[in-house]
Amino acid sequence: MASNLALGGVAAVAVLAGVAIGAFGAPLLKTRHSGPVIVTSDDGSGVMNPEGGYLTPDILDAARLLPPPPLKGSMRYEQDRKVFLATRALKGTPRWNLATADADQSIQATLANFSCSVGADLTPSSVPAMAALLEKVTPDEMRAVNTGKLIHSRQRPFLIDAGEICVPKTDELARSPDYPSGHTTWSWMTALLLAEMVPERATDILIRGRVYGESRVICGAHNESAVEAGRINASALVAALHASPQFRDDLDLARAELASVRRSGRPPSAARCVAEEELSKVSYF
């Protein structure tokens, strides 16, 4: 385990040792919910799914799509526990700091987090079409996550085993089930969309999407199996979205916008990009 906890090279350590956690992310953008995705009704009877989006609620049944989470006592269940307990040793490291920043899934933070992989400084003002696309797809993503969470109702890892996590242990977080990971569904969906729009940067974009999901395990907010389920969820969602003519039109607008920003826009922070790349090369669990 010790070799796996290496911090990813001198460059990452030098940059991250003196960087505040918030420097990885960006201020919250109020147009996206940045906490646990699940929202329960006032009487506790179920989930209130948001209206809007590109798809009708019956298009994708994530509760049927996803395999059930590991059964208590199974080998995979125990593996999830071992990974959670082992990764608590990462607290205070640069990788923990990145996981903390990745907990912010606002649109502004999401664009900033994918800036290095895209090769341009992305903000809601520099890529408004992309920001609008993410805003509009949010209800579709939340419905896909909520249905799985409600059906499976698996506890988060810190409720099963004691251990610190990289975000506050709020009642809201505790009430939001583990499986599937909403953050991973969101980040992998975003990575797939960006990889389609900027195929020449697809590898870097998908690596960042992978790292984003791994951050949820390192943070201690999700089990490894919940992150894997989030990737399945996101892949199915993106496939379904392509059936919508409006989505395809909006995707084309965002693609042209990203091409323009990559040609003439401001580049991302070189120091941040080097640090993120170094951290992405290490296996932490």
Side-chain angles (χ1 to χ4, degrees):
M1 186 68 187
S3 61
N4 285 344
L5 298 184
L7 300 184
V10 175
V13 175
V15 171
L16 300 180
V19 175
I21 288 174
F24 271 110
L28 293 180
L29 191 66
K30 294 181 180 179
T31 50
R32 177 166 172 81
H33 178 66
S34 58
V37 166
I38 195 167
V39 181
T40 57
S41 59
D42 291 338
D43 61 3
S45 61
V47 173
M48 295 188 298
N49 283 318
E51 296 181 354
Y54 292 100
L55 305 175
T56 57
D58 60 328
I59 293 295
L60 182 65
D61 188 347
R64 290 180 57 203
L65 166 70
L66 296 175
L71 292 174
K72 185 175 181 179
S74 67
M75 291 179 63
R76 188 57 198 279
Y77 183 92
E78 294 305 320
Q79 176 63 20
D80 276 344
R81 293 183 62 203
K82 289 179 181 178
V83 169
F84 170 75
L85 291 171
T87 49
R88 298 313 87 213
L90 287 166
K91 183 181 179 182
T93 69
R95 188 61 185 89
W96 180 276
N97 292 351
L98 179 59
T100 304
D102 281 348
D104 180 358
Q105 59 175 343
S106 67
I107 291 174
Q108 186 166 341
T110 299
L111 292 173
N113 287 337
F114 280 98
S115 291
C116 291
S117 62
V118 170
D121 189 31
L122 305 181
T123 67
S125 59
S126 70
V127 285
M130 182 65 198
L133 175 70
L134 292 176
E135 178 73 28
K136 187 165 183 179
V137 80
T138 292
D140 298 310
E141 181 262 352
M142 291 181 71
R143 284 193 295 266
V145 172
N146 285 349
T147 53
K149 283 182 179 285
L150 181 64
I151 290 296
H152 298 300
S153 297
R154 188 187 187 191
Q155 285 185 307
R156 290 181 183 262
F158 62 87
L159 297 174
I160 298 172
D161 291 294
E164 295 191 57
I165 64 176
C166 79
V167 293
K169 294 181 180 179
T170 63
D171 290 341
E172 181 186 19
L173 183 63
R175 288 195 303 268
S176 171
D178 172 59
Y179 189 95
S181 165
H183 278 71
T184 305
T185 301
W186 172 255
S187 61
W188 193 244
M189 174 199 74
T190 303
L192 291 173
L193 296 179
L194 286 170
E196 182 174 348
M197 288 184 275
V198 192
E200 62 271 32
R201 302 283 296 185
T203 298
D204 291 322
I205 291 167
L206 293 171
I207 287 173
R208 186 63 179 96
R210 169 180 60 79
V211 168
Y212 201 120
E214 291 169 354
S215 284
R216 302 307 289 159
V217 178
I218 290 167
C219 179
H222 280 294
N223 284 298
E224 184 181 11
S225 59
V227 168
E228 292 177 359
R231 293 190 184 121
I232 296 172
N233 217 19
S235 299
L237 176 58
V238 170
L241 284 167
H242 279 78
S244 165
Q246 183 61 60
F247 169 79
R248 295 196 300 271
D249 289 345
D250 290 347
L251 192 71
D252 287 341
L253 286 175
R255 180 186 290 110
E257 177 183 75
L258 283 169
S260 176
V261 168
R262 291 189 68 240
R263 284 194 303 268
S264 57
R266 185 175 64 183
S269 163
R272 171 176 175 161
C273 294
V274 168
E276 285 188 357
E277 182 179 5
E278 291 300 319
L279 291 174
S280 74
K281 296 176 181 177
V282 181
S283 176
Y284 296 91
F285 54 89

